[in-house]
Amino acid sequence: MIHRDLKPSNLFVRRLPAGLHVEVLDFGLAKFIDGESKNDDADVKVTRAGHIVGTPAYMAPEQVTGELVDKRADQYGATVVLFEMLTGKLPFDAPEVMGVLRAHLTEQPPT
């Protein structure tokens, strides 16, 4: 399964007897995929033809362009969340949504 919308508001941290535990919430954009095989199902890349899904600040470049996505898109989103946790800011920021999407495609991530 791929979540396709990992972001801070979809992560919940709880203290359990064994330590801190992170739960992933809001599976409204999640899709099941067939194991490790390449998924040719167009429904994995878009919810409706011509529309991308996700939160722009946390979207992987392949989500921005509407390409097929796999678990790497969730890894990208988790990395953006981690970057934000460590620095207090997003790696790509712009005043408008299209600027954020363009930055994910064209700019080098900050170090």
Side-chain angles (χ1 to χ4, degrees), residues 44-46 52 61-69 105:
V44 173
K45 81 172 177 178
V46 294
I52 58 174
E62 59 271 22
Q63 279 179 281
V64 172
T65 59
E67 295 176 37
L68 288 174
V69 296
L105 294 171

Side-chain angles (χ1 to χ4, degrees), residues 76 91-94 97-109:
Y76 185 93
F92 303 111
D93 200 12
V97 172
M98 290 307 295
V100 172
L101 295 175
R102 190 176 312 107
H104 280 277
L105 294 171
T106 62
E107 294 181 19
Q108 285 293 320

Side-chain angles (χ1 to χ4, degrees), residues 17-70:
L20 294 178
H21 180 77
V22 177
E23 294 180 10
V24 179
L25 309 173
D26 190 358
F27 287 83
L29 297 179
K31 293 290 178 187
F32 287 99
I33 57 175
D34 182 26
E36 296 295 316
S37 65
K38 184 175 179 178
N39 194 324
D40 293 327
D41 180 5
D43 195 38
V44 173
K45 81 172 177 178
V46 294
T47 298
R48 198 170 69 185
H51 292 81
I52 58 174
V53 295
T55 303
Y58 302 90
M59 287 174 66
E62 59 271 22
Q63 279 179 281
V64 172
T65 59
E67 295 176 37
L68 288 174
V69 296
D70 58 24

